Each structure stands twice: as structure tokens, then as C-alpha cells.
Amino acid sequence: MNFQTISQPINQGWMFQQESSSNWMDAVVPGCVHLDLLNHNLIPEPFFGLNEKEIQWISNQGWVYRLIFDTEKEIYKKKNKRLCFNGLDTYANIYLNGEKIISADNMFHPWEADVSTILLPEKNELIVVFRSPLKEIAPKMQSLGHSLPAENDQAGKTSPFTRKAPFHYGWDWGPCFVTLGIWKEVELVGWNQWHIEKVSIVTNKLTETSADLEVEIKLMSESDEECQVAISEPRSGIVEKFESNLVTGKNIFKYLLSIRDPELWWPVGHGEQPLYTFKIVISSNMFKQECTKRIGIRDVLIKREKGGKGESFEIHVNNQPIFSKGANWIPADSFTTRLTYKDYERLLGDAVKANMNTLRVWGGGIYEPDHFYDICDELGILVWQDFMFACSMYPADDMFLNSVKKEAEYQVNRLKHHPSIILWCGNNEIASGWLSWGWKEELPASVWDDYKKLFHELLPDVCEKVDPSRLYWPSSPGHDLAQPEIDQIYGSGDNHYWGVWHGGDDFDAFENNIGRFISEYGMQSFPEVGTIEKFSRKKDLSLTSKVFEGHQKASLGNGNVLKYIDEYYTRPKDFSRTVSLSQIMQAKAIRAAVEVHRRNMPFCMGTLYWQLNDCWPGPSWSSIDYYGNWKALHYAAKKFYAPVLVSITEKNGQVEVHIVNDQGHSISGKLITTLFLFNGTKIKEISEHLDIDPYSSSKKLSLDKEKLMEGNNEAEIVLKGILEINKISIAESEYYFSRPKDLKLNKPEFSVNYEFINERHFIYIKAKSHMHEVHLNCLNRRGLFSDNYFNLLPNEIKEIEFIPDETTIESKGALRFQIKSLYELMYE
Ligand code: BMA
């Protein structure tokens, strides 16, 4: 039996040229014009120096892509032939053999055309003519009479009018590269009598003993005929066969299936991630067609219960409240088409390595590719999914609304089977912008009516129709499903807290700005010197060089990083130390925030810092830089997001030790709280047996600070809390009573041993004196350390494993490590 539908990839052999030129050059599809020009050395490396500015001309031009291709015989024989562009960025007319078949204006959904009558067996000419997205919009804007806010847009503020990744136009952590191109795969699809358009599998009802699923198959047929539908799934043992009748036109088949004693999908840290892979085979007289769909079975609910100032915002998975720990995700490259599966695997793996269980796909980027969500399903990462609207007001004319409708329907349909996705969110910070950033005062009220049409009518309608199982949350931050009249309320819904960084507040301010779910807050740092060297010449390695400033996109800029360094640390003598210290400062800020949020569980049930990753090398709020290097913050996250946290704080003259347990089981252990002088002398030790409830946060110890100190100098004291089970430490934390710049740090003395055992690299550091913020760096190999940025007391020995990056080429010779601490950064 032959396959009913077959497809031919149309990605090889493309050429491109500037519109007015006649010089065809090889192109890579999927790709974009910037990368094609780079491949031909026609533009300089976009991230290097100030090259960003030099290549802005690209987006003002028209670009043409062309392919001559033969149709595969089997496809040509098919009665119906469809050409499908899975993604076009963005304004393009497409011609096949001289006939216009597609006119595209939205990068976020596929564009298809029936080419049955145009396609030739050989030498088809396919031409894609891209128009400049900037020039396209300029006349439209003029006729509007007012502009729409788009503060991050560095290319003429046209971005709100175009359904294209907002960050392409620049952001406060990324460059402006307004790309054009065929950014997703192209394929030719052929079939005869019938064709599967869509398959969806949803869980209708979930009880402890069974999961009731509904499989829906949408088919188009050109005849009435009998068919058989076979559905199988190995994990559950499902093997079912159904007899059906196809009718001419649209067919929707629905089948109810039940999985007995389903294995439930859980976020990482709370259980396993079993996935069920369904195979659906449809066969008629002469043909068959099959497809697969992988799902996870779980129940998800965002509990919004009234109380206090407003409503809670709690993620419940399988009736279990989950404290959400993670970060905001931005596109991992300015040119996303060159990202590989491995890039996604590494970044998402790094999120889990740092004990994260949630990522927010932020609305200024792209709807990520299928494998992003597949990997999240496999790793147990919960995904907060924004629609791609951020920090701008948007038009709502019929054409725009229709375009968004098509985009939203496509994306929700594409993604809804992923167990990892927990909610749909309309936009990033647009309600805030209108209500608090002065937009309301400057713009006509009709702009707010347009907002309503998009985020309170169109998008919730699509979600309700296509995926009623998830919450649609109109905007982040938000406190209500209705169009809001006031901006965020701390104590209701989700919050973005930017008093630290944008508002210049001290880190203590996190304590006074706790919400029910904090979906953004952050602190900038500089990426490591090796990363900066990739875009700078030696002479540019300074905070005030044009190149370094050119890579700093935030308005408060490098000065704000220095301001925070100055508040907590002593400013280093040179650039490289300042870079390292910026990371230590950033980690300190975010740790302060997360510990506050976790201590306040269950009032607060989620914390996502801004931002996990970068789209290019430069200063930003990320914890992992563009090249995948972990900043100090990412190492800190591994500790402050650990399932069990010891958190020490001061309040009203009391020193408090809190324990947070994110696990579903209770803990019986010993909390040992010890006050040390930096010279190693133990001033006091309090040891207590504790029973800690599952999913709990509680104050376990409260000590009068004055008594505790016994008159010792705060500047040379550290309080250490260790939670032990059977003499093994499961969580520990150190607390210093002064800001680092006021601590009495001495030049560290230590010895180091290196061992290579069973192909593994171990480093042992034995401290002879107190060492604060000890950090290791491997000088000739990329890799990760099992721990980094830690403190040691005299005579403490720390074992650290170095795990080299498998993908980098083995460098010759022994590994060389550099070990430094805060002292060397501030005083040498
Ligand atoms: C947030 C985000 C981004 C921005 C970040 C840092 O509010 O939504 O728009 O990059 O702040 O300013």
C-alpha cells in the first residue's frame, strides 16, 4: 500500500541576491539574508565591534531568493500538490513558474498554496521576493496621525505594525538586526484522494485510575470511501481499530480512548516525565497515512484564590501546588535560524542543572520551535508561554486582527499537546506601559480600545476555542482577567519588580516587594572576558570604549552596574576584575530576591528572574552568556533553587534561620548553626533536631543578634547554617553581617590538589584562611564546575569536579585552573 500523502523538502539549492542586482549567490534555507551575506563575506561579523551599525542597510533593501527544482516523480503523479513555507520573515511575494502564489505578511504562521496546476515535472522556478519591513510600514505610520510606543525599536518604530519578532528591532539587551528570509523549512506535499490536516489529542478527564483522551483527526477528502483508523500507543498498550467513512470535503473523526492507571507527567523535582507516543494510521482502499503525537498526562491549573489584597497565582500540577523556580527565556540568537537542537538541549539542560522547573517564553521573541517544547516535556520544565507582543501598543484594524487570529490559532494548535506548557499569556508589560509609563496620557483612547480587541477579545477567544484546558492570562504583570484599570498590585496575580536595577533600590528592597508570583526582576552583569574578547580588540577592553558601550543596550547602562558594585564592593583596579565582580554582584542581588520569595512560600508561589540567556555577546541580565558560559549567577541559582534551602536573614534585631522544603516528603534532620570568626574560631554553635514538613517554608531559629555576637566585630564574622541528615549535609548557607566592602578580608592562603580519577577531574582546595567568593576558571578548556563562587573557613577542604565541555576540541596539555576570591578582585 502506498502512502496517501508524501512530501519533498525544498530546502537545497536556493540562491539569493539583492533586489536590483543580477548576481545570484548560494543561500542557506532555512536561514536569513544576514547569514547568507555573512557566508559570502559580504558583511563583517555582525556581533564584532560596532559592525551592528554598519549593516543596518540590509533591512532597507529588497531581497530575492530563487530556486530551480525538479518535482519528485511520485509527487508529480499526485493529484493535489501544495507548496508549504513553514515560516517567511516577513513581507514576501512568492512566484512559481511566473505565477504569484503567496503574499505573506506574518512570520509566525506557515504560508501555503495549492500548486497542482502550476507545478512542472522539471525545472520549476520558485521566486521569493522579500520587501523591506521598514519601508513597508513607513507610509502606514504616516497616515495614522500618531505613532505607537516601541521604546526598544531602533529602526524607526515600525515594529508594532509588523507580525515579526519584536527583538529583531533591538531591545535593552540585544542589537537591532531586522532580518529577512525563509526562516523555516519549505516542502512540497502531494496527495490523491484524502489528506490529514490536523491531529490533536487532549485529556478530557483525569482521575486516579484513568485518563480519558480524545483523539481528533481532521481530514480533507475528494471522495466518499471507507477507511480504517488504527491508534496504538506502546506505553499504555493501547491498540484500537475503528472503521470510518470518509465523505467528500471536510471530515472530523473523534475517538475516545482511556488509559488505565495513567503514569502522570510531573515538573522536574516533583516526579517523573512519562510520555505517551501515539501512532495513528489511516488506511483506505489503496492508500495509507500515518502520524505520531507525543503527549504527557497531567492536570494543570493556575489557582487564583481571593485573600488579602487580591488573588493568589499558584501553579497546581496533578492537584499539587508547585513552587515555580526559574527564569525568563529570550531567543538564544539574534539569528535564530542558526540555532541547533544541541543549542536548545544545552541551554534547557543548564536550566535544570540549576534546579529550575519553570521558564517563561517572553513575548518579545519568537514562538520557539517544536524541539524546544519537546525537550521541556522530557526534562519536566514548565513553560509560561507568552504570545509575541511586548512593550508596545498594537494596531487592531481588520487586517491586523485577521493576521493575529491566524497566527494564534496556528500556534495554539501546534503547541497545545505539550504537557510542559501551563498557560497562555497575551503580552509582556503592555497593560503596564499603558497604565504607568505615560502612554495613556499621550495617546488617544482608541489605542486602549485596540488593546482590548487584541488581548481581551481575540486572543482569549482563540484560546477558549482551541485550548480551553489552559488559563489565558492577558498580560504579564497582571492581576485580573478583565481589562485592568490599575497597573500591578503586589499581592494579586503576577508581578514584575524592577525597583532594584531600574529604580536604583538596594537589594533589601526585594523584601518589601513580594508578590504572589514574581515573573520578572533582575540585575545586569558583564559576560566573562573571553566572551568580550570575541567582539572586541585589545584596545576596546574597557568600560568606556565605544565598542563596549555599543554592546550595552540598556539606558542606565554600565554606570548602573558600577553603581551597584560601589554600593556593595570596593571597585577593582582593572577591567577584567570589574567584569568578574559584576557577576558576583549580580548573583548576590538575585540570591537576595529568590531567598525572600522562597521564604514567603506559600504567599509567593513563583520566582522567575530576568533573564536566563542571551541573543548575542554583551552586558545583560542573563545568567548564561551567549556562548553558553555560566555566569556566577547560574552557579548561585543551582544553590538558591535547590530543593531544600537554608536561608538566613536579619529582621528587627533578630537573626532568623529559615528552611524551605520543595519536596513532597518531610525531612528529619539536624540544623547546625555556627558563628565563626574569620580566623576559624567558633563563637557559638546551636544544634537542633528538626522535622520539616513537605512543601513548606518556616522559620526554624530566631536569635537575638546582640547576644549572638557577644561583642565581636560584625566585619569578621560568618554565620553558617547546615542541615544534616545522618551526618550528611543536604543544604547549607553562609550569612555575612556586613556588605562585602566592609568585611575584614585578608589575603587568602590555600593549597590546591588536582586528581584525575576514572576520567574525571577533581580539584581540592584547602583553605588556610577565610576565603570569600572563591571562584575557579579553567584557562584552556571550556566546562562546568560542580560548584563555584563559594566561601571557605580555615582548614575547610572543598572538592570540586570540573566537567569539560564535550563539544570543544581537546586542548593539548594538562588543564590549567585559576583560583581567585573576592579579596583579589577588590584589593589586588
Ligand atoms: C523587562 C522585560 C524586558 C526587558 C527587561 C529589562 O520588563 O520585559 O522588556 O528587557 O525588563 O529591562
Side-chain angles (χ1 to χ4, degrees), residues 335-387:
F335 308 109
T336 51
T337 56
R338 67 180 167 191
L339 288 169
T340 62
Y341 179 88
K342 280 221 161 318
D343 293 324
Y344 280 100
E345 200 179 36
R346 175 180 47 76
L347 269 168
L348 294 168
D350 283 350
V352 171
K353 281 186 194 143
N355 287 310
M356 296 185 182
N357 63 16
T358 310
L359 292 174
R360 169 170 174 244
V361 177
W362 163 80
I366 56 168
Y367 304 93
E368 292 294 339
D370 291 343
H371 49 251
F372 173 94
Y373 304 94
D374 285 339
I375 299 170
C376 289
D377 290 350
E378 286 157 17
L379 295 179
I381 298 175
L382 300 175
V383 177
W384 169 312
Q385 180 67 46
D386 282 1
F387 286 96

Side-chain angles (χ1 to χ4, degrees), residues 227-248:
C227 73
Q228 254 198 357
V229 179
I231 305 177
S232 58
E233 201 294 313
R235 186 174 205 118
S236 58
I238 284 179
V239 185
E240 299 268 8
K241 276 209 168 101
F242 304 94
E243 301 294 329
S244 287
N245 288 311
L246 284 166
V247 295
T248 310

Side-chain angles (χ1 to χ4, degrees), residues 152 171-173 360 362 391 428-429 437 496 498 501-502 520 610-611 621:
N152 295 294
W171 215 264
D172 59 0
W173 36 256
R360 169 170 174 244
W362 163 80
C391 302
N428 174 71
E429 293 185 344
W437 302 354
H496 294 188
W498 281 101
W501 180 263
H502 286 298
E520 274 189 24
W610 184 267
Q611 68 203 63
W621 294 265

